[in-house]
Amino acid sequence: MLPNLFSPIQIGHMTSKNRLLMSAMSINFGVDENCCVTEQLVEYFVERAKGGVGMMLVGGGSVHPGGQELPDLPQMYRDDCIPALKDMVKRIKAYDTLFGVQLLHGGRQSYLPDKVAPSPIPAPAVVKGKVRALEINEIKELVSCFGDSARRCRKAGFDFIELHGAHGYLINQFMAPNSNIRTDEYGGSFENRTRFLFEIIEDVQTKTGKEFPIGIRINGNDYIENGWELEDTVRLAPLLEKAGAVYLHVSGGVYGSTELTIPSMYTPHGCFVHLAEEVKKHVTIPVITVGRIKYPDHAEKILKEGKADMVAFGRSFLADPYYPEKARKGEFSQIRPCVGCCLGCIHAVLAKEPGSCVVNPDVGREYKLKYERKPKKALRILIAGAGPAGMAAARQFALQGHKTIVCEKKESTGGLLSLASNAPGRGELNDILDFFRFEMDRVDVEIRYGTELTLDLINEIIPDKVILATGSMPDMPVIKGLFQTKMDLVTNVDVISGKDKVKDKVIVLGGGMTGLITADFLADQGKQVVVLNRKKSFAEEMSSNDRYYLRERLKKGNVALYKNVSVQQFTDEGVVFKANGEEIILTGFQSVVISEKHSSIREAKKLERKTKIPFHLIGDAKSPRHLMYCISEAEEIARSA
C-alpha cells in the first residue's frame, strides 16, 4: 500500500528497513541526577522501536557541561554514563531499528546562566541572558568534545550519530551571519563560518573511524534576517558529502524565526519539504525531510515524487508509537493523530518540564504501564457525554475488558471540541475526534444518541460505575449594562456552531484561547472585531508556538486587542473600559460575544443521591480545562477501575 515508505534504504554501510526516522526530540525526562539514562527513557524508546520505525535518534545529547539545552537530557560528555547507554542500546537492538544519538551544544540557546557562542549576541527569543564569545582555544576544546562524545556513542553500541547543525544551536550559530560577527578564522567568509562544523566531522572520524556513520541535521533556511539561507545549504551540502556525511536531515527555523522549528496546526503540512527537495538535487547521499508530515499517504507521495529519500516524524510518534506498523498494515484510522497543538511537547520542555503529549497520556509512563494487567472482573460502565473525555474514557474502559455504554444527549459526538475545529486553521482538532469515533466501533462501545442520563437509564443498565463527561457551557459575567444593551448578546459557542449570527461590528469579551479563536473566526468572515481581555496576557492556556501563529493571523484581520481591561459599563451600542490606565469608549457596535469562563455541567450528579452506584466527574464536567487534562484523566480513571 505504501511501497516507497516501507522499502529499505542504504545509508552508509547501514540498511534501514523502511524510510521512517523518528527525529531527535528533547523530551526532558528519563535521566538520573547525573543525567545518565534511566528505565523511563529506555522504555520510551523501546515502545517506539516495537512500533516499527526504521531509525531513531536520542535527542539533546550534550557534548559539554556548558552546552546543556535543557536540564534533564542525556549527557554524552561523561564516560560513567556509557553503561546505562549500553543497556538501552541492547534493548533497542532486538527490534531491528537503527539507533543513534543527536549531538549538540546549545550555545546561546543553552538553559544555563553562563552562555557561550561565536559572538556575544543573545538569542533573539525564548532563551534570555548574556552571552560570552568563545576564545580560539575554547572552540578547539569544543571540537574535541564532539569527537569524544561520538566515541562514547560508538562504545555504547549506537549505530550512528547526528550532528545538530540546525535550529540556532552552536554549530548553526557559527554558520549564520547574524550570530557570528567574528573576524578571525571562524568568522566572516562562508569557509570560515563553516570551519567549526568541518573540524568536528574530522575529529569525530579520527576518534570513531571513518566507517562510523555521521549524519548532519542542517537548516535549509533560518527564516530570520541575515540568517543561514537555502543557497548556503545548497553550497554546503556537496562539501558535507565529500567530508563523509552519510545523510543530510534538512529542517528550518531558529528561536525567534518567522517560521517556527516546531510549527503548529496553522502551518501547512510539509512546510520544509521544499528545502530538502532542493538540497537533494546537489548530493547523492540520502536526504531526509521533516516538518508537519503527518499522514502516511503524504509521506509516501513525498518519496514517490523524489523530493526526499526518507521522512522524519517527531510528534506523530509521540502521539502513537505504533504509527509505522499501523501504516504498514493500512490501519490508518487506528493511528492516534498529533493535532499540532505543541502544548505537551515543545511548550512543556521549554518550560523545563517533562515532555508529554496532549492526545497520548502514556508518553513518559511507558516504564510503568508495561506492568499493567487487565482487571480480573469485567464491569459495566455507563458514561454520560461523548465529547473527547467521554470517548477517551469509553475506549480505555473497553480496552480494559469492561462493557461500556455511552449516552449522548445530542445526535453527534465531539462536544465543544468539534466546534473548535470549525475555527480557521484548527480543523486538525477533529482528527483526534475521528480517531475516537473509529475506536468506539473497533472496541465495541455502544453509543446511544439523543439520550440523556436519567434514573430510568441507570436502572435499565445497572452499571458498576457512572462517569460524567457532560462538558461545560459559557458562563455569563455580571457587568454593568451588559443585559440592558441594545447590542445582540451571544456566546462563542452559539457563534461558532452557527446557531447565532452576529453583525459587522463585534465586541468579543474574553482574551483566552476561545476568545482569540472566536475573534479569528469572525475576522475571517470580514467582521470588525474588538477583543477585551480582562487578564494580563492573551491565551495563556495555549502553547507559545500555537499562540504565535494565531496572533499572526489576527494581525492580518480587522481585529483590535486590549488586555488588562477593566470594563466600566456596556452602553446601548458599545462599551466604556480602562486599559493600562486609559479610558476608552467604543461606539457603533452591534454584537457582543461572551467568550470568557466556562461552567461545568453537573446536573446529572444529583442522580447519585438516588442510587448506590458511584459517580465520577472527568473532563470539563470536573473543571473546564485544556484537552490534555481531559484525555489524561479519562484514561486514568479507566485504568484505575
Side-chain angles (χ1 to χ4, degrees):
M1 181 176 281
L2 302 168
N4 293 284
L5 196 58
F6 289 96
S7 64
I9 182 172
Q10 193 73 21
I11 305 170
H13 66 76
M14 305 181 294
T15 302
S16 174
K17 62 187 177 184
N18 57 47
R19 308 292 179 109
L20 290 164
L21 166 72
M22 177 176 156
S23 297
M25 288 176 281
S26 298
I27 202 67
N28 207 39
F29 64 63
V31 296
D32 62 19
E33 64 276 7
N34 296 315
C35 285
C36 295
V37 301
T38 65
E39 183 189 12
Q40 184 183 21
L41 193 66
V42 172
E43 291 300 329
Y44 162 81
F45 280 114
V46 165
E47 191 71 359
R48 282 147 185 86
K50 285 181 182 178
V53 66
M55 296 175 69
M56 286 196 307
L57 279 159
V58 177
S62 179
V63 302
H64 186 273
Q68 283 275 116
E69 180 197 7
L70 290 163
D72 294 318
L73 297 176
Q75 292 178 353
M76 300 297 160
Y77 52 81
R78 295 169 49 146
D79 286 344
D80 57 1
C81 286
I82 293 175
L85 293 171
K86 274 187 176 180
D87 290 342
M88 180 166 69
V89 170
K90 185 178 179 181
R91 294 286 309 282
I92 300 300
K93 291 288 188 182
Y95 301 100
D96 190 26
T97 297
L98 298 175
F99 199 26
V101 178
Q102 186 185 78
L103 298 179
L104 67 78
H105 187 294
R108 66 181 185 175
Q109 290 183 175
S110 166
Y111 86 98
L112 298 165
D114 299 322
K115 303 177 193 351
V116 295
S119 302
I121 304 171
V126 182
V127 177
K128 308 298 182 183
K130 292 183 178 180
V131 178
R132 179 179 63 81
L134 288 160
E135 302 290 342
I136 292 287
N137 65 304
E138 293 176 306
I139 295 173
K140 300 295 185 184
E141 178 190 353
L142 289 179
V143 167
S144 182
C145 286
F146 272 94
D148 289 340
S149 296
R151 172 183 53 78
R152 294 184 186 98
C153 291
R154 180 163 194 179
K155 187 173 182 180
F158 286 100
D159 297 296
F160 65 103
I161 62 159
E162 180 178 276
L163 298 176
H164 201 337
H167 301 165
Y169 296 112
L170 187 62
I171 294 173
N172 180 250
Q173 290 163 30
F174 269 96
M175 296 195 299
N178 69 348
S179 52
N180 183 351
I181 56 173
R182 300 179 73 97
T183 57
D184 56 20
E185 64 264 41
Y186 289 98
S189 68
F190 175 89
E191 290 77 12
N192 284 354
R193 286 183 285 111
T194 58
R195 187 184 306 278
F196 182 56
L197 174 56
F198 284 105
E199 287 184 353
I200 290 171
I201 293 171
E202 184 178 1
D203 198 74
V204 170
Q205 290 173 334
T206 298
K207 292 172 179 173
T208 64
K210 288 197 173 184
E211 74 281 2
F212 187 63
I214 303 172
I216 312 288
R217 190 165 211 192
I218 189 168
N219 272 358
N221 196 324
D222 284 354
Y223 294 108
I224 200 167
E225 186 177 354
N226 199 30
W228 182 264
E229 297 185 354
L230 183 56
E231 63 184 38
D232 300 312
T233 311
V234 166
R235 181 179 176 185
L236 183 64
L239 302 177
L240 291 174
E241 179 175 12
K242 185 177 179 181
V246 296
Y247 71 77
L248 300 179
H249 185 177
V250 184
S251 187
V254 300
Y255 289 178
S257 58
T258 56
E259 296 294 330
L260 303 188
T261 297
I262 312 292
S264 88
M265 64 182 79
Y266 287 103
T267 309
H269 290 190
C271 55
F272 298 141
V273 171
H274 67 287
L275 302 174
E277 181 181 13
E278 183 58 36
V279 171
K280 184 168 163 50
K281 297 173 184 176
H282 301 272
V283 294
T284 61
I285 56 176
V287 173
I288 303 172
T289 192
V290 71
R292 292 279 286 142
I293 303 166
K294 172 176 170 178
Y295 303 116
D297 53 352
H298 183 205
E300 174 70 15
K301 186 172 185 285
I302 290 167
L303 297 175
K304 183 179 180 180
E305 293 176 353
K307 295 179 178 179
D309 300 291
M310 291 190 75
V311 178
F313 289 76
R315 291 170 287 171
S316 285
F317 290 171
L318 291 182
D320 195 332
Y322 289 83
Y323 181 119
E325 187 61 12
K326 292 175 182 178
R328 187 185 67 82
K329 293 179 178 178
E331 298 170 345
F332 296 170
S333 64
Q334 293 185 38
I335 296 173
R336 189 191 295 230
C338 166
V339 295
C341 66
C342 303
L343 190 69
C345 47
I346 184 64
H347 187 78
V349 300
L350 289 179
K352 303 183 184 68
E353 298 174 357
S356 58
C357 178
V358 164
V359 301
N360 182 10
D362 295 351
V363 172
R365 301 172 64 218
E366 295 87 355
Y367 72 114
K368 294 180 178 179
L369 296 176
K370 72 175 185 176
Y371 299 111
E372 184 181 55
R373 297 290 182 268
K374 288 186 177 181
K376 294 179 180 179
K377 180 184 176 183
L379 304 177
R380 291 179 66 81
I381 307 296
L382 176 58
I383 298 175
M391 289 195 289
R395 171 183 179 270
Q396 195 62 45
F397 272 117
L399 290 173
Q400 297 291 108
H402 304 301
K403 173 62 180 175
T404 308
I405 299 168
V406 177
C407 64
E408 168 55 54
K409 67 178 182 179
K410 295 183 179 179
E411 297 298 331
S412 60
T413 59
L416 292 182
L417 191 65
S418 63
L419 293 183
S421 69
N422 292 335
R426 305 194 72 80
E428 282 182 57
L429 293 172
N430 201 52
D431 287 357
I432 188 62
L433 294 176
D434 281 342
F435 168 76
F436 284 131
R437 288 164 182 146
F438 283 120
E439 288 290 279
M440 295 301 96
D441 288 336
R442 188 179 73 85
V443 300
D444 197 26
V445 170
E446 178 186 349
I447 301 180
R448 298 189 185 184
Y449 294 101
T451 304
E452 291 197 51
L453 183 67
T454 62
L455 190 60
D456 286 343
L457 182 64
I458 293 171
N459 290 334
E460 174 200 338
I461 295 173
I462 315 177
D464 295 288
K465 292 178 185 289
V466 173
I467 310 297
L468 296 184
T470 42
S472 64
M473 61 186 297
D475 197 7
M476 299 297 288
V478 178
I479 301 175
K480 185 178 179 181
L482 181 60
F483 296 104
Q484 289 76 42
T485 181
K486 292 180 180 179
M487 295 182 288
D488 298 330
L489 186 61
V490 298
T491 70
N492 62 312
V493 169
D494 290 337
V495 168
I496 295 181
S497 68
K499 180 181 177 182
D500 287 331
K501 304 293 183 183
V502 297
K503 298 185 173 69
D504 290 337
K505 296 186 68 176
V506 188
I507 296 169
V508 174
L509 182 62
M513 178 172 65
T514 58
L516 294 194
I517 289 171
T518 301
D520 189 29
F521 179 81
L522 294 171
D524 200 53
Q525 300 172 13
K527 312 291 186 186
Q528 180 182 338
V529 184
V530 170
V531 175
L532 303 183
N533 181 20
R534 296 200 278 178
K535 296 184 177 181
K536 294 180 180 179
S537 302
F538 289 102
E540 293 175 298
E541 64 272 49
M542 297 180 78
S543 73
S544 54
N545 291 40
D546 201 18
R547 184 172 58 245
Y548 166 79
Y549 287 105
L550 177 55
R551 290 292 300 270
E552 289 298 304
R553 283 184 56 84
L554 293 174
K555 289 177 184 178
K556 299 171 186 176
N558 195 9
V559 180
L561 302 174
Y562 294 91
K563 63 182 179 180
N564 287 321
V565 165
S566 174
V567 179
Q568 305 301 299
Q569 71 173 77
F570 280 90
T571 63
D572 284 350
E573 57 177 23
V575 64
V576 181
F577 65 95
K578 286 186 177 180
N580 297 319
E582 177 187 359
E583 184 174 88
I584 299 171
I585 301 174
L586 300 180
T587 61
F589 283 78
Q590 303 146 320
S591 302
V592 179
V593 179
I594 304 301
S595 190
E596 283 193 320
K597 295 180 180 179
H598 272 228
S599 295
S600 298
I601 300 172
R602 299 177 179 172
E603 282 299 307
K605 186 80 165 61
K606 296 176 182 177
L607 295 173
E608 188 175 21
R609 304 171 192 162
K610 301 177 181 181
T611 176
K612 295 181 180 180
I613 299 166
F615 280 44
H616 302 272
L617 294 163
I618 63 171
D620 278 6
K622 183 175 182 180
S623 176
R625 288 156 299 154
H626 194 278
L627 177 65
M628 171 184 281
Y629 305 107
C630 294
I631 293 178
S632 62
E633 70 188 16
E635 296 203 2
E636 187 60 33
I637 200 167
R639 284 195 160 107
S640 63

mmCIF file with all atom_site columns, all heavy atoms in Angstrom, residues 543-558:
data_model
loop_
_atom_site.group_PDB
_atom_site.id
_atom_site.type_symbol
_atom_site.label_atom_id
_atom_site.label_alt_id
_atom_site.label_comp_id
_atom_site.label_asym_id
_atom_site.label_entity_id
_atom_site.label_seq_id
_atom_site.pdbx_PDB_ins_code
_atom_site.Cartn_x
_atom_site.Cartn_y
_atom_site.Cartn_z
_atom_site.occupancy
_atom_site.B_iso_or_equiv
_atom_site.pdbx_formal_charge
_atom_site.auth_seq_id
_atom_site.auth_comp_id
_atom_site.auth_asym_id
_atom_site.auth_atom_id
_atom_site.pdbx_PDB_model_num
ATOM 1   N N   . SER A 1 543 ? -0.100  26.766 23.801 1.00 0.00 ? 543 SER A N   1
ATOM 2   C CA  . SER A 1 543 ? 1.354   26.729 23.694 1.00 0.00 ? 543 SER A CA  1
ATOM 3   C C   . SER A 1 543 ? 1.822   28.005 23.013 1.00 0.00 ? 543 SER A C   1
ATOM 4   O O   . SER A 1 543 ? 1.093   28.625 22.229 1.00 0.00 ? 543 SER A O   1
ATOM 5   C CB  . SER A 1 543 ? 1.801   25.516 22.874 1.00 0.00 ? 543 SER A CB  1
ATOM 6   O OG  . SER A 1 543 ? 1.515   25.713 21.500 1.00 0.00 ? 543 SER A OG  1
ATOM 7   N N   . SER A 1 544 ? 3.041   28.414 23.312 1.00 0.00 ? 544 SER A N   1
ATOM 8   C CA  . SER A 1 544 ? 3.572   29.636 22.708 1.00 0.00 ? 544 SER A CA  1
ATOM 9   C C   . SER A 1 544 ? 3.652   29.506 21.193 1.00 0.00 ? 544 SER A C   1
ATOM 10  O O   . SER A 1 544 ? 3.416   30.477 20.464 1.00 0.00 ? 544 SER A O   1
ATOM 11  C CB  . SER A 1 544 ? 4.947   29.955 23.287 1.00 0.00 ? 544 SER A CB  1
ATOM 12  O OG  . SER A 1 544 ? 5.828   28.854 23.154 1.00 0.00 ? 544 SER A OG  1
ATOM 13  N N   . ASN A 1 545 ? 3.960   28.303 20.692 1.00 0.00 ? 545 ASN A N   1
ATOM 14  C CA  . ASN A 1 545 ? 4.041   28.109 19.241 1.00 0.00 ? 545 ASN A CA  1
ATOM 15  C C   . ASN A 1 545 ? 2.686   28.261 18.575 1.00 0.00 ? 545 ASN A C   1
ATOM 16  O O   . ASN A 1 545 ? 2.547   28.938 17.553 1.00 0.00 ? 545 ASN A O   1
ATOM 17  C CB  . ASN A 1 545 ? 4.616   26.724 18.931 1.00 0.00 ? 545 ASN A CB  1
ATOM 18  C CG  . ASN A 1 545 ? 6.070   26.605 19.310 1.00 0.00 ? 545 ASN A CG  1
ATOM 19  O OD1 . ASN A 1 545 ? 6.498   27.103 20.343 1.00 0.00 ? 545 ASN A OD1 1
ATOM 20  N ND2 . ASN A 1 545 ? 6.854   25.949 18.483 1.00 0.00 ? 545 ASN A ND2 1
ATOM 21  N N   . ASP A 1 546 ? 1.672   27.644 19.157 1.00 0.00 ? 546 ASP A N   1
ATOM 22  C CA  . ASP A 1 546 ? 0.322   27.722 18.602 1.00 0.00 ? 546 ASP A CA  1
ATOM 23  C C   . ASP A 1 546 ? -0.200  29.155 18.677 1.00 0.00 ? 546 ASP A C   1
ATOM 24  O O   . ASP A 1 546 ? -0.795  29.678 17.727 1.00 0.00 ? 546 ASP A O   1
ATOM 25  C CB  . ASP A 1 546 ? -0.588  26.767 19.380 1.00 0.00 ? 546 ASP A CB  1
ATOM 26  C CG  . ASP A 1 546 ? -1.838  26.375 18.598 1.00 0.00 ? 546 ASP A CG  1
ATOM 27  O OD1 . ASP A 1 546 ? -1.869  26.543 17.373 1.00 0.00 ? 546 ASP A OD1 1
ATOM 28  O OD2 . ASP A 1 546 ? -2.791  25.896 19.241 1.00 0.00 ? 546 ASP A OD2 1
ATOM 29  N N   . ARG A 1 547 ? 0.039   29.777 19.803 1.00 0.00 ? 547 ARG A N   1
ATOM 30  C CA  . ARG A 1 547 ? -0.423  31.153 20.000 1.00 0.00 ? 547 ARG A CA  1
ATOM 31  C C   . ARG A 1 547 ? 0.256   32.114 19.023 1.00 0.00 ? 547 ARG A C   1
ATOM 32  O O   . ARG A 1 547 ? -0.364  33.064 18.537 1.00 0.00 ? 547 ARG A O   1
ATOM 33  C CB  . ARG A 1 547 ? -0.147  31.582 21.443 1.00 0.00 ? 547 ARG A CB  1
ATOM 34  C CG  . ARG A 1 547 ? -0.663  32.966 21.784 1.00 0.00 ? 547 ARG A CG  1
ATOM 35  C CD  . ARG A 1 547 ? -0.526  33.261 23.272 1.00 0.00 ? 547 ARG A CD  1
ATOM 36  N NE  . ARG A 1 547 ? 0.838   33.160 23.753 1.00 0.00 ? 547 ARG A NE  1
ATOM 37  C CZ  . ARG A 1 547 ? 1.245   32.255 24.634 1.00 0.00 ? 547 ARG A CZ  1
ATOM 38  N NH1 . ARG A 1 547 ? 0.395   31.391 25.154 1.00 0.00 ? 547 ARG A NH1 1
ATOM 39  N NH2 . ARG A 1 547 ? 2.498   32.209 25.029 1.00 0.00 ? 547 ARG A NH2 1
ATOM 40  N N   . TYR A 1 548 ? 1.535   31.869 18.732 1.00 0.00 ? 548 TYR A N   1
ATOM 41  C CA  . TYR A 1 548 ? 2.267   32.739 17.799 1.00 0.00 ? 548 TYR A CA  1
ATOM 42  C C   . TYR A 1 548 ? 1.561   32.814 16.450 1.00 0.00 ? 548 TYR A C   1
ATOM 43  O O   . TYR A 1 548 ? 1.333   33.899 15.910 1.00 0.00 ? 548 TYR A O   1
ATOM 44  C CB  . TYR A 1 548 ? 3.696   32.215 17.610 1.00 0.00 ? 548 TYR A CB  1
ATOM 45  C CG  . TYR A 1 548 ? 4.419   32.818 16.427 1.00 0.00 ? 548 TYR A CG  1
ATOM 46  C CD1 . TYR A 1 548 ? 4.986   34.086 16.508 1.00 0.00 ? 548 TYR A CD1 1
ATOM 47  C CD2 . TYR A 1 548 ? 4.509   32.127 15.219 1.00 0.00 ? 548 TYR A CD2 1
ATOM 48  C CE1 . TYR A 1 548 ? 5.641   34.647 15.417 1.00 0.00 ? 548 TYR A CE1 1
ATOM 49  C CE2 . TYR A 1 548 ? 5.165   32.679 14.122 1.00 0.00 ? 548 TYR A CE2 1
ATOM 50  C CZ  . TYR A 1 548 ? 5.726   33.938 14.234 1.00 0.00 ? 548 TYR A CZ  1
ATOM 51  O OH  . TYR A 1 548 ? 6.358   34.493 13.148 1.00 0.00 ? 548 TYR A OH  1
ATOM 52  N N   . TYR A 1 549 ? 1.197   31.655 15.909 1.00 0.00 ? 549 TYR A N   1
ATOM 53  C CA  . TYR A 1 549 ? 0.557   31.640 14.590 1.00 0.00 ? 549 TYR A CA  1
ATOM 54  C C   . TYR A 1 549 ? -0.836  32.276 14.640 1.00 0.00 ? 549 TYR A C   1
ATOM 55  O O   . TYR A 1 549 ? -1.246  32.966 13.700 1.00 0.00 ? 549 TYR A O   1
ATOM 56  C CB  . TYR A 1 549 ? 0.471   30.208 14.058 1.00 0.00 ? 549 TYR A CB  1
ATOM 57  C CG  . TYR A 1 549 ? 1.797   29.656 13.603 1.00 0.00 ? 549 TYR A CG  1
ATOM 58  C CD1 . TYR A 1 549 ? 2.483   28.720 14.361 1.00 0.00 ? 549 TYR A CD1 1
ATOM 59  C CD2 . TYR A 1 549 ? 2.374   30.084 12.409 1.00 0.00 ? 549 TYR A CD2 1
ATOM 60  C CE1 . TYR A 1 549 ? 3.704   28.221 13.956 1.00 0.00 ? 549 TYR A CE1 1
ATOM 61  C CE2 . TYR A 1 549 ? 3.596   29.583 11.984 1.00 0.00 ? 549 TYR A CE2 1
ATOM 62  C CZ  . TYR A 1 549 ? 4.253   28.660 12.759 1.00 0.00 ? 549 TYR A CZ  1
ATOM 63  O OH  . TYR A 1 549 ? 5.471   28.171 12.350 1.00 0.00 ? 549 TYR A OH  1
ATOM 64  N N   . LEU A 1 550 ? -1.556  32.058 15.741 1.00 0.00 ? 550 LEU A N   1
ATOM 65  C CA  . LEU A 1 550 ? -2.880  32.671 15.871 1.00 0.00 ? 550 LEU A CA  1
ATOM 66  C C   . LEU A 1 550 ? -2.760  34.191 15.959 1.00 0.00 ? 550 LEU A C   1
ATOM 67  O O   . LEU A 1 550 ? -3.522  34.924 15.300 1.00 0.00 ? 550 LEU A O   1
ATOM 68  C CB  . LEU A 1 550 ? -3.596  32.112 17.106 1.00 0.00 ? 550 LEU A CB  1
ATOM 69  C CG  . LEU A 1 550 ? -4.970  32.703 17.434 1.00 0.00 ? 550 LEU A CG  1
ATOM 70  C CD1 . LEU A 1 550 ? -5.926  32.608 16.250 1.00 0.00 ? 550 LEU A CD1 1
ATOM 71  C CD2 . LEU A 1 550 ? -5.565  32.007 18.662 1.00 0.00 ? 550 LEU A CD2 1
ATOM 72  N N   . ARG A 1 551 ? -1.809  34.669 16.738 1.00 0.00 ? 551 ARG A N   1
ATOM 73  C CA  . ARG A 1 551 ? -1.615  36.115 16.848 1.00 0.00 ? 551 ARG A CA  1
ATOM 74  C C   . ARG A 1 551 ? -1.219  36.726 15.505 1.00 0.00 ? 551 ARG A C   1
ATOM 75  O O   . ARG A 1 551 ? -1.632  37.841 15.162 1.00 0.00 ? 551 ARG A O   1
ATOM 76  C CB  . ARG A 1 551 ? -0.540  36.430 17.896 1.00 0.00 ? 551 ARG A CB  1
ATOM 77  C CG  . ARG A 1 551 ? -0.942  36.140 19.340 1.00 0.00 ? 551 ARG A CG  1
ATOM 78  C CD  . ARG A 1 551 ? -2.040  37.067 19.837 1.00 0.00 ? 551 ARG A CD  1
ATOM 79  N NE  . ARG A 1 551 ? -1.668  38.467 19.797 1.00 0.00 ? 551 ARG A NE  1
ATOM 80  C CZ  . ARG A 1 551 ? -1.081  39.131 20.780 1.00 0.00 ? 551 ARG A CZ  1
ATOM 81  N NH1 . ARG A 1 551 ? -0.796  38.503 21.921 1.00 0.00 ? 551 ARG A NH1 1
ATOM 82  N NH2 . ARG A 1 551 ? -0.806  40.409 20.659 1.00 0.00 ? 551 ARG A NH2 1
ATOM 83  N N   . GLU A 1 552 ? -0.414  36.003 14.719 1.00 0.00 ? 552 GLU A N   1
ATOM 84  C CA  . GLU A 1 552 ? -0.036  36.492 13.395 1.00 0.00 ? 552 GLU A CA  1
ATOM 85  C C   . GLU A 1 552 ? -1.261  36.581 12.484 1.00 0.00 ? 552 GLU A C   1
ATOM 86  O O   . GLU A 1 552 ? -1.399  37.510 11.696 1.00 0.00 ? 552 GLU A O   1
ATOM 87  C CB  . GLU A 1 552 ? 1.023   35.580 12.770 1.00 0.00 ? 552 GLU A CB  1
ATOM 88  C CG  . GLU A 1 552 ? 2.391   35.681 13.429 1.00 0.00 ? 552 GLU A CG  1
ATOM 89  C CD  . GLU A 1 552 ? 2.996   37.069 13.326 1.00 0.00 ? 552 GLU A CD  1
ATOM 90  O OE1 . GLU A 1 552 ? 3.127   37.579 12.195 1.00 0.00 ? 552 GLU A OE1 1
ATOM 91  O OE2 . GLU A 1 552 ? 3.325   37.654 14.384 1.00 0.00 ? 552 GLU A OE2 1
ATOM 92  N N   . ARG A 1 553 ? -2.164  35.616 12.606 1.00 0.00 ? 553 ARG A N   1
ATOM 93  C CA  . ARG A 1 553 ? -3.401  35.659 11.819 1.00 0.00 ? 553 ARG A CA  1
ATOM 94  C C   . ARG A 1 553 ? -4.236  36.881 12.214 1.00 0.00 ? 553 ARG A C   1
ATOM 95  O O   . ARG A 1 553 ? -4.797  37.561 11.355 1.00 0.00 ? 553 ARG A O   1
ATOM 96  C CB  . ARG A 1 553 ? -4.222  34.382 12.043 1.00 0.00 ? 553 ARG A CB  1
ATOM 97  C CG  . ARG A 1 553 ? -3.729  33.158 11.301 1.00 0.00 ? 553 ARG A CG  1
ATOM 98  C CD  . ARG A 1 553 ? -4.681  31.984 11.519 1.00 0.00 ? 553 ARG A CD  1
ATOM 99  N NE  . ARG A 1 553 ? -6.044  32.329 11.137 1.00 0.00 ? 553 ARG A NE  1
ATOM 100 C CZ  . ARG A 1 553 ? -6.529  32.259 9.898  1.00 0.00 ? 553 ARG A CZ  1
ATOM 101 N NH1 . ARG A 1 553 ? -5.744  31.859 8.918  1.00 0.00 ? 553 ARG A NH1 1
ATOM 102 N NH2 . ARG A 1 553 ? -7.781  32.570 9.652  1.00 0.00 ? 553 ARG A NH2 1
ATOM 103 N N   . LEU A 1 554 ? -4.320  37.154 13.493 1.00 0.00 ? 554 LEU A N   1
ATOM 104 C CA  . LEU A 1 554 ? -5.145  38.262 13.960 1.00 0.00 ? 554 LEU A CA  1
ATOM 105 C C   . LEU A 1 554 ? -4.607  39.616 13.492 1.00 0.00 ? 554 LEU A C   1
ATOM 106 O O   . LEU A 1 554 ? -5.372  40.560 13.300 1.00 0.00 ? 554 LEU A O   1
ATOM 107 C CB  . LEU A 1 554 ? -5.248  38.232 15.487 1.00 0.00 ? 554 LEU A CB  1
ATOM 108 C CG  . LEU A 1 554 ? -6.020  37.049 16.080 1.00 0.00 ? 554 LEU A CG  1
ATOM 109 C CD1 . LEU A 1 554 ? -5.932  37.050 17.591 1.00 0.00 ? 554 LEU A CD1 1
ATOM 110 C CD2 . LEU A 1 554 ? -7.470  37.062 15.635 1.00 0.00 ? 554 LEU A CD2 1
ATOM 111 N N   . LYS A 1 555 ? -3.303  39.703 13.287 1.00 0.00 ? 555 LYS A N   1
ATOM 112 C CA  . LYS A 1 555 ? -2.717  40.947 12.777 1.00 0.00 ? 555 LYS A CA  1
ATOM 113 C C   . LYS A 1 555 ? -3.210  41.247 11.367 1.00 0.00 ? 555 LYS A C   1
ATOM 114 O O   . LYS A 1 555 ? -3.324  42.398 10.969 1.00 0.00 ? 555 LYS A O   1
ATOM 115 C CB  . LYS A 1 555 ? -1.186  40.843 12.770 1.00 0.00 ? 555 LYS A CB  1
ATOM 116 C CG  . LYS A 1 555 ? -0.553  40.861 14.144 1.00 0.00 ? 555 LYS A CG  1
ATOM 117 C CD  . LYS A 1 555 ? 0.957   40.687 14.032 1.00 0.00 ? 555 LYS A CD  1
ATOM 118 C CE  . LYS A 1 555 ? 1.613   40.604 15.405 1.00 0.00 ? 555 LYS A CE  1
ATOM 119 N NZ  . LYS A 1 555 ? 3.076   40.385 15.284 1.00 0.00 ? 555 LYS A NZ  1
ATOM 120 N N   . LYS A 1 556 ? -3.489  40.188 10.617 1.00 0.00 ? 556 LYS A N   1
ATOM 121 C CA  . LYS A 1 556 ? -3.934  40.356 9.233  1.00 0.00 ? 556 LYS A CA  1
ATOM 122 C C   . LYS A 1 556 ? -5.431  40.643 9.148  1.00 0.00 ? 556 LYS A C   1
ATOM 123 O O   . LYS A 1 556 ? -5.915  41.175 8.153  1.00 0.00 ? 556 LYS A O   1
ATOM 124 C CB  . LYS A 1 556 ? -3.596  39.098 8.424  1.00 0.00 ? 556 LYS A CB  1
ATOM 125 C CG  . LYS A 1 556 ? -2.104  38.797 8.363  1.00 0.00 ? 556 LYS A CG  1
ATOM 126 C CD  . LYS A 1 556 ? -1.830  37.441 7.740  1.00 0.00 ? 556 LYS A CD  1
ATOM 127 C CE  . LYS A 1 556 ? -0.358  37.090 7.809  1.00 0.00 ? 556 LYS A CE  1
ATOM 128 N NZ  . LYS A 1 556 ? -0.079  35.732 7.291  1.00 0.00 ? 556 LYS A NZ  1
ATOM 129 N N   . GLY A 1 557 ? -6.161  40.286 10.180 1.00 0.00 ? 557 GLY A N   1
ATOM 130 C CA  . GLY A 1 557 ? -7.598  40.533 10.186 1.00 0.00 ? 557 GLY A CA  1
ATOM 131 C C   . GLY A 1 557 ? -7.898  41.903 10.773 1.00 0.00 ? 557 GLY A C   1
ATOM 132 O O   . GLY A 1 557 ? -7.016  42.614 11.269 1.00 0.00 ? 557 GLY A O   1
ATOM 133 N N   . ASN A 1 558 ? -9.152  42.281 10.738 1.00 0.00 ? 558 ASN A N   1
ATOM 134 C CA  . ASN A 1 558 ? -9.567  43.586 11.259 1.00 0.00 ? 558 ASN A CA  1
ATOM 135 C C   . ASN A 1 558 ? -9.910  43.420 12.740 1.00 0.00 ? 558 ASN A C   1
ATOM 136 O O   . ASN A 1 558 ? -11.063 43.502 13.153 1.00 0.00 ? 558 ASN A O   1
ATOM 137 C CB  . ASN A 1 558 ? -10.773 44.084 10.458 1.00 0.00 ? 558 ASN A CB  1
ATOM 138 C CG  . ASN A 1 558 ? -11.033 45.561 10.693 1.00 0.00 ? 558 ASN A CG  1
ATOM 139 O OD1 . ASN A 1 558 ? -10.233 46.250 11.322 1.00 0.00 ? 558 ASN A OD1 1
ATOM 140 N ND2 . ASN A 1 558 ? -12.162 46.042 10.200 1.00 0.00 ? 558 ASN A ND2 1
#
